[in-house]
Amino acid sequence: MPGGFGTLDEYFEALTLIQTGKIKNFPIIIFNTQYHKALIEHINLMKQQGTINDADSKLFMITDDIEEARLFIIEHSIKHYGLKPKFQPKPINWI
């Protein structure tokens, strides 16, 4: 999604914390490749220069496909951590 400095700050901070093992991995998605074209090019440059590697590239997904993003979230959070929906009690009809 489009964003500014705060979005980029959070994106790179989360990746750094996951990369260094300070927090557990969770799904990070760059959505809207046209908007983030320059960022994606810079990430590819970092890979070419060796400042990040292929393992680092697997910490996030780049996509324009909502279904692909949804499946990535399911696989890398819901299934990975065994998350289950919270029980929602049904309201009592007579009240």
Side-chain angles (χ1 to χ4, degrees):
M1 306 294 172
F5 290 138
T7 301
L8 291 176
D9 176 55
E10 294 297 325
Y11 169 72
F12 284 111
E13 182 174 1
L15 286 174
T16 301
L17 292 172
I18 292 168
Q19 182 188 48
T20 58
K22 303 292 183 193
I23 62 174
K24 291 182 180 180
N25 195 350
F26 63 91
I28 298 174
I29 300 168
I30 297 175
F31 197 85
N32 190 340
T33 56
Q34 183 59 38
Y35 180 82
H36 293 292
K37 184 179 178 185
L39 174 62
I40 295 165
E41 288 172 358
H42 188 73
I43 291 169
N44 289 331
L45 176 65
M46 289 190 294
K47 284 173 51 178
Q48 291 171 1
Q49 298 291 320
T51 58
I52 63 173
N53 60 35
D54 287 332
D56 297 329
S57 298
K58 293 180 178 142
L59 297 176
F60 61 93
M61 165 188 257
I62 301 170
T63 188
D64 288 318
D65 185 321
I66 292 172
E67 181 63 12
E68 186 178 25
R70 185 184 76 82
L71 294 173
F72 186 79
I73 291 167
I74 289 170
E75 186 64 34
H76 291 89
S77 63
I78 296 170
K79 286 184 180 178
H80 182 78
Y81 294 108
L83 301 176
K84 307 243 184 279
K86 186 176 178 180
F87 173 72
Q88 298 277 338
K90 293 183 181 181
I92 301 171
N93 291 332
W94 56 270
I95 295 183

